Amino acid sequence: MSTLLEVSGISVSFDGFKAINNLSFSIGPAELRAIIGPNGAGKTTFMDIVTGKTRPDEGQVLWGEKSQSLLRLSESQIAQTGVGRKFQRPTVFEDQSVEDNLLLALKKNRSPLSVLGFRKSSADGDAIAALADEIGLGDQRPRKAGELSHGQKQWLEIGMLLAQDPQLLLVDEPAAGMTLAEREHTTALLKQAAKTRAVVVVEHDMEFVRRLECKVTVLHEGSVLAEGSLDHVTQNQEVIDVYLGR
């Protein structure tokens, strides 16, 4: 299977503390992966490195068929190559409608002239309608984003990322604060997205991870402790000792 993202031997220290310690990780172009582990395991730092927010002290982060090094690129350049990230707290434009939020996120030429002369085309409208349906907000398009429930805001933000057509989606704790029905819809949304792109979900909620039915990577002290199906990793004694037994 071809690899979309290949992280090898990365380490990074903050004030003498090794947040990431010789970590290696890879994911294919249409794959869903969950990353779990105790607090301080390096999950957020790992995502910071992939997105260019943090530079590792050593190691490689290679991207795509041509094995392009992401470490040479800025955060905005990495985003343009096709890496999208969703943080834990939803960041949507609360005073704008659902439709306008999706329109703002659509993958477009962002040069100053094209932005000044922008007119929504019928193709844009069709893309937004399809996206709103996909994320479960088809009937909410005229509503202001600030009026949506917590779960709906999370879906809108996932929709805004999908509008940019990333090849890799990094999603941080999407299930936090959601109702059961919202969590089920979120599961379906992420599984659907992973049919056409790579999706990495960092999550604490084991029941949610089980619903994703995907390969799981367990981080501990900045390294990969175990990898495999959820059943496989949850039977690993080291994983039980450092994470599940707490």
Side-chain angles (χ1 to χ4, degrees):
M1 186 175 107
S2 61
T3 301
L4 177 68
L5 177 74
E6 178 88 46
V7 174
S8 54
I10 54 168
S11 296
V12 66
S13 298
F14 301 115
D15 301 324
F17 168 69
K18 220 159 195 183
I20 297 287
N21 185 11
N22 194 26
L23 173 69
S24 294
F25 173 93
S26 67
I27 189 166
E31 184 184 344
L32 180 57
R33 180 78 61 88
I35 296 183
I36 63 173
N39 287 331
K43 302 184 297 293
T44 300
T45 307
F46 165 75
M47 290 205 286
D48 286 347
I49 288 170
V50 172
T51 54
K53 194 175 175 190
T54 297
R55 299 288 171 190
D57 302 325
E58 57 187 302
Q60 287 187 311
V61 181
L62 301 178
W63 173 258
E65 290 178 8
K66 295 178 181 172
S67 295
Q68 177 185 16
S69 173
L70 292 187
L71 300 181
R72 297 198 183 104
L73 305 181
S74 67
E75 284 185 69
S76 61
Q77 287 172 325
I78 290 172
Q80 284 164 4
T81 63
V83 178
R85 181 175 184 181
K86 185 197 164 328
F87 292 88
Q88 205 172 336
R89 292 175 68 93
T91 47
V92 298
F93 299 102
E94 304 242 334
D95 287 337
Q96 303 290 331
S97 69
V98 167
E99 177 138 355
D100 285 342
N101 268 273
L102 293 172
L103 181 61
L104 285 164
L106 266 188
K107 192 173 187 180
K108 287 279 173 192
N109 179 349
R110 297 290 182 196
S111 71
L113 277 176
S114 66
V115 170
L116 280 173
F118 178 74
R119 294 285 182 276
K120 185 172 85 173
S121 68
S122 61
D124 292 338
D126 292 345
I128 289 165
L131 205 48
D133 287 341
E134 184 183 343
I135 58 175
L137 297 177
D139 57 347
Q140 306 288 329
R141 276 157 51 197
R143 277 185 80 185
K144 280 193 174 181
E147 297 172 3
L148 301 175
S149 71
H150 170 73
Q152 288 173 321
K153 284 179 186 173
Q154 297 275 32
W155 302 337
L156 177 56
E157 193 174 21
I158 291 172
M160 290 169 73
L161 276 174
L162 292 175
Q164 295 161 32
D165 199 24
Q167 291 174 268
L168 170 65
L169 200 52
L170 302 170
V171 187
D172 198 0
E173 295 199 33
M178 284 194 178
T179 65
L180 184 59
E182 286 174 339
R183 288 150 59 107
E184 285 182 355
H185 179 68
T186 305
T187 305
L189 190 53
L190 294 171
K191 281 179 161 181
Q192 183 62 34
K195 288 178 180 175
T196 53
R197 69 200 78 229
V199 179
V200 175
V201 180
V202 168
E203 187 53 77
H204 278 288
D205 187 312
M206 288 307 206
E207 195 46 51
F208 186 78
V209 171
R210 183 169 294 284
R211 287 170 185 272
L212 291 175
E213 300 176 303
C214 67
K215 187 174 179 181
V216 177
T217 299
V218 186
L219 297 190
H220 176 54
E221 294 180 349
S223 302
V224 175
L225 180 64
E227 206 164 61
S229 68
L230 185 63
D231 285 339
H232 171 78
V233 301
T234 53
Q235 288 164 11
N236 180 305
Q237 192 57 48
E238 282 185 285
V239 175
I240 294 166
D241 291 345
V242 304
Y243 185 44
L244 302 174
R246 294 184 171 190

